[in-house]
Amino acid sequence: MKAMRKTLQLLAVGSMLAYGLPLQAATARKVTLAVISVADDARYAKRRLELAYPNQPQGRALQGVELAVEDTALELQDAGLELSVRDLVLPSAADLPRALQELKAAQVVHIVADLPEAPLRALVRSGPDVLGDMVVFNTGLPEDSLRGEGCAPYLLHTAPSQQMEADALAQFLAARQWRKLLVLRGTQPADAPLAAAWARALPRHGLEAVQTRAFKLSGEANERDLANVRKLSSEPGYDVVAVLDSDGEFARGVPYATQWPRPVVGAAGLVAQAWHPQWQRYGGAQLNRRFAKLAQRPMQGQDWAAWMAGKAVVAALVDAPQSSVAQQLQRLRSGAVALDGFKGQRLTFRPWDGQLRQPVLLSHGDAVAAMAPLGEWLRAGEALDTLGMDAAQSSCRN
C-alpha cells in the first residue's frame, strides 16, 4: 500500500508538471478571511443607497476584499498560500454569537467587520473568548471612540477616523487662510463626536468657530427655521461653512443655499474621504477601473478601506507565511509590514490605536481638490501623524 501511495503521489506531481501547474498549489497553506455583515444594517437600506450621500457607503465591503485577493494572487501563490473569502451575512446582530461559533469550527481568525458600531463593539468584546487570537479590521466606521476607550489590541482600522477627517479639512482651510468658520451642527447623538473632533481640530490649526448654529430636520411648524439654511447663515463674518452632519440629509442641501457666497466643507461641499472614484494619481485610475468592473459601481472610501484590509491580511501572511496570527498582528501594529494604498506613500498601522496612517483626499462630487497632509504639516517628522490622534493624545490603553 505504501508503494502504491508513493506511486500515486509521483503521478500527481508528474501531471502537474505536464500541465504547467505550480507545485506549491498541491501543498498550499489554506487561509480563510471572513467578511461579517448584518442584513438589516441601516447604512445599506435601499433608499439610503439610492440617495448616495457624500462620504457614506454605497455598497458592502465584500467586493473590496475580493478585489484585494484578486490583486495579490501572484504574491499568495509565490508564498505557497491560498486565501479564500467567506461572506457571512447575519440576519441581525443577535446572530453574532452563532457566527463566532461557526468561525471557530472553521478555524477562521481573520475578520473584516462590515458592521454598525454596536455589533462591532460586541465582536471586539466576545471574539477572543471564542476564537482566541484573532485580527479584526474596521473598514467602515470613523468613530474616534473605537480608536480610544473602545480600542483593542486585535482591532485595526483601515477607515480614517473622524479626527483624521477633521484635521485634513482644517489643514486645507488654514493653508487657504480661511480661518473664520460658521459651524452648522446637527442635534442627533451621532453628531456629537463629529463636533468634538472639529473642536479639537480648529485650535490645532489656528481656526476659529465665530458662529455655531444647531440645525434640525423636523416636520414641526415651530422648528422649521432650524432647517432653513439661509436663516442659519444670515449673519456675516465667516469665511467658510462647516457642516457637521453624521446622517447627510441636511448637509447635501447646504452648498449654494447660504445667505452669503461662502465655500462649504464637512459633510457636503468639500469632503474628507479615504478614496474618490476620480482619483487618478499613483495608479488610482487603474484601481478604480478594476473595482468598477468587479462591483458594477464606483469605488468609494469604504470600498478602499475594505480593499486595504484584504491587502493587509495578504501582506502579513506573505511576510511570514508560517507565522501565527498573533505574530502577524504584532508585525502589522509595529509598522514592520507596509502597504501600498495607491496614494504615493507606504502606509503602516499606528501601534498605539491600530489606525492605518494614510493621506486623506479632499474632494467634491467631480474631482479631488487636494490631499492632506498639506502645507506646513508636510514638513512634520511623521507627516501622516498630523492627521488624527498621536500617541500622546490617544486614550487607547492596550
Side-chain angles (χ1 to χ4, degrees):
M1 289 296 295
K2 289 184 179 180
M4 182 179 294
R5 190 179 301 115
K6 183 66 173 179
T7 300
L8 290 173
Q9 290 173 345
L10 291 173
L11 286 172
V13 170
S15 298
M16 292 179 71
L17 290 172
Y19 287 98
L21 299 175
L23 288 176
Q24 67 255 36
T27 58
R29 177 190 173 193
K30 296 183 178 181
V31 180
T32 300
L33 171 58
V35 181
I36 301 182
S37 60
V38 290
D40 60 356
D41 191 333
R43 296 175 301 166
Y44 302 122
K46 182 179 179 181
R47 176 60 175 161
R48 188 165 185 84
L49 292 178
E50 289 173 350
L51 291 170
Y53 296 120
N55 207 19
Q56 300 280 343
Q58 295 180 20
R60 295 182 181 263
L62 178 64
Q63 288 84 10
V65 176
E66 289 178 332
L67 182 61
V69 176
E70 182 179 305
D71 286 349
T72 56
L74 289 178
E75 297 173 53
L76 289 165
Q77 178 180 293
D78 290 344
L81 295 164
E82 181 182 322
L83 180 61
S84 60
V85 178
R86 180 174 180 178
D87 184 23
L88 199 56
V89 182
L90 312 183
S92 71
D95 295 282
L96 182 60
R98 174 186 59 78
L100 289 174
Q101 291 297 332
E102 288 183 15
L103 294 178
K104 179 181 179 180
Q107 298 182 317
V108 177
V109 291
H110 298 85
I111 300 171
V112 169
D114 182 16
L115 294 169
E117 184 175 357
L120 176 60
R121 289 182 181 273
L123 172 62
V124 171
R125 286 194 305 269
S126 59
D129 293 336
V130 179
L131 301 179
D133 289 335
M134 67 176 192
V135 57
V136 178
F137 293 90
N138 164 34
T139 64
L141 301 183
E143 282 76 6
D144 289 315
S145 61
L146 293 170
R147 289 107 170 134
E149 65 274 12
C151 69
Y154 41 85
L155 177 61
L156 301 177
H157 310 273
T158 51
S161 67
Q162 291 170 328
Q163 192 63 60
M164 292 172 67
E165 293 171 349
D167 285 334
L169 283 166
Q171 288 184 11
F172 179 87
L173 298 180
R176 296 297 193 279
Q177 299 295 313
W178 298 343
R179 298 192 177 275
K180 297 181 179 181
L181 278 68
L182 164 62
V183 177
L184 301 182
R185 173 184 171 176
T187 56
Q188 298 298 316
D191 296 322
L194 275 176
W198 275 84
R200 289 186 292 263
L202 296 187
R204 186 184 296 179
H205 298 89
L207 308 179
E208 180 186 3
V210 295
Q211 301 175 42
T212 300
R213 301 281 186 271
F215 68 81
K216 182 180 180 180
L217 294 175
S218 173
E220 299 294 331
N222 63 338
E223 293 183 324
R224 286 176 184 170
D225 285 352
L226 293 178
N228 188 317
V229 177
R230 290 192 66 181
K231 287 192 174 183
L232 292 170
S233 61
S234 61
E235 295 184 19
Y238 54 89
D239 302 319
V240 63
V241 180
V243 191
L244 312 185
D245 180 10
S246 60
D247 178 73
E249 175 66 26
F250 172 82
R252 72 185 308 163
V254 176
Y256 301 102
T258 56
Q259 177 66 35
W260 304 96
R262 299 293 184 267
V264 175
V265 303
L270 190 69
V271 179
Q273 297 177 288
W275 192 255
H276 191 278
Q278 294 301 323
W279 178 243
Q280 301 291 310
R281 301 176 63 187
Y282 307 118
Q286 291 84 351
L287 177 59
N288 279 320
R289 283 196 292 269
R290 292 201 304 276
F291 182 83
K293 181 179 180 180
L294 174 69
Q296 299 300 302
R297 58 182 172 84
M299 190 176 209
Q300 305 294 336
Q302 292 78 9
D303 302 312
W304 179 89
W307 178 71
M308 286 303 296
K311 291 193 68 176
V313 171
V314 172
L317 288 169
V318 170
D319 179 64
Q322 299 304 319
S323 61
S324 66
V325 68
Q327 291 169 329
Q328 295 164 22
L329 183 60
Q330 190 278 328
R331 290 187 61 76
L332 284 170
R333 290 193 71 120
S334 69
V337 176
L339 309 174
D340 181 6
F342 287 23
K343 295 183 183 180
Q345 299 185 48
R346 304 294 284 177
L347 311 182
T348 58
F349 289 93
R350 292 173 178 152
W352 56 88
D353 62 1
Q355 173 66 55
L356 182 67
R357 297 181 176 97
Q358 58 186 276
V360 174
L361 305 184
L362 304 176
S363 56
H364 48 81
D366 297 322
V368 177
M371 182 171 71
L374 72 163
E376 63 183 85
W377 296 275
L378 277 172
R379 296 191 290 273
E382 175 50 84
L384 292 180
D385 283 342
T386 67
L387 304 177
M389 300 289 195
D390 62 23
Q393 298 164 331
S394 176
S395 60
C396 180
R397 298 292 179 263
N398 285 322

